[in-house]
Amino acid sequence: MKTAIYPGSFDPITLGHLNIIKRAAVCFDKLIVCVLINSDKHGGLFTPEERADLIRRVVAKLPNVEVDCSATLLAEYARQKKACTLVKGLRAVSDYENELQMALINRKLNPRLETMFLPSSAKYTYVSSSVVKEMARYGADLSDFVPREIIDDVNAKMKSRRDG
Ligand code: PNS
């Protein structure tokens, strides 16, 4: 059984992430979408558990996709799950430098772990979770940015942040 992991912060999941999930899911027997901690990113909009719940709702119809969250090192998580592939999406050359470094660190920590890069679909190259949060802050229409199942959640969370 070939298991791959699609790791990320997913705060929140975007249409770009979903596109990568669907394309990766056909390449492996099982794809685990895992919400992990990026220590460079502080003050997230959603908690890791909330992010995983949103992803679960969005991928509910994809039979070989599981959703999890973990506060461990990614390389260790992959070992626990007996996964030997990480899937990463690349939107632009500027993503590559950081992703290459992470791929090398992950393979150093777990020599069986390969990272496969999928180029983002052209129509999603400008989409990121940060852009989604910025748009939501100003009440802009999110339908071209996040799966429709979670639009209300993102708007409600942003409103509760603003009001609270
Ligand atoms: O969506 P992101 O923020 O680019 O995802 C980055 C993420 C969460 C996959 C990365 O920060 C990560 O792997 N975090 C877990 C801790 C870890 O293993 N760090 C890499 C080795 S130092």
Side-chain angles (χ1 to χ4, degrees):
M1 153 107 80
K2 285 221 177 301
T3 300
I5 296 169
Y6 179 38
S9 305
F10 304 112
D11 185 38
I13 183 172
T14 67
L15 286 174
H17 293 134
L18 181 59
N19 177 262
I20 297 286
I21 291 170
K22 287 179 175 167
R23 287 160 58 207
V26 299
C27 302
F28 298 94
D29 299 310
K30 181 158 89 175
L31 181 72
I32 304 174
V33 181
C34 187
V35 178
L36 290 135
I37 310 294
N38 181 340
S39 44
D40 291 336
K41 295 181 180 171
H42 305 283
L45 182 62
F46 292 96
T47 66
E49 290 75 17
E50 287 170 336
R51 298 174 204 179
D53 285 342
L54 295 178
I55 302 169
R56 265 185 210 107
R57 209 183 308 151
V58 168
V59 304
K61 294 204 172 105
L62 301 174
N64 65 333
V65 177
E66 277 179 20
V67 183
D68 196 5
C69 64
S70 169
T72 59
L73 273 176
L74 175 54
E76 184 49 38
Y77 178 82
R79 193 176 282 121
Q80 287 165 13
K81 295 290 170 182
K82 298 188 174 22
C84 44
T85 312
L86 300 176
V87 173
K88 289 295 197 101
L90 286 182
R91 285 166 302 189
V93 177
S94 52
D95 284 343
Y96 183 71
E97 201 172 334
N98 184 38
E99 291 298 348
L100 176 65
Q101 186 184 26
M102 284 208 272
L104 295 174
I105 293 171
N106 285 323
R107 203 171 51 191
K108 169 92 182 132
L109 296 172
N110 176 350
R112 290 187 174 170
L113 195 53
E114 291 292 351
T115 300
M116 290 192 182
F117 295 115
L118 278 184
S120 166
S121 285
K123 62 179 178 176
Y124 298 126
T125 45
Y126 58 86
V127 178
S128 69
S129 299
S130 311
V131 164
V132 167
K133 284 178 273 196
E134 182 72 356
M135 303 265 296
R137 201 166 284 127
Y138 293 97
D141 177 14
L142 299 182
S143 53
D144 285 338
F145 296 85
V146 297
R148 60 184 154 68
E149 297 92 327
I150 71 160
I151 291 177
D152 289 347
D153 302 78
V154 177
N155 285 328
K157 184 65 131 180
M158 193 52 86
K159 185 173 182 308
S160 77
R161 274 292 167 85
R162 247 192 332 250
D163 296 348

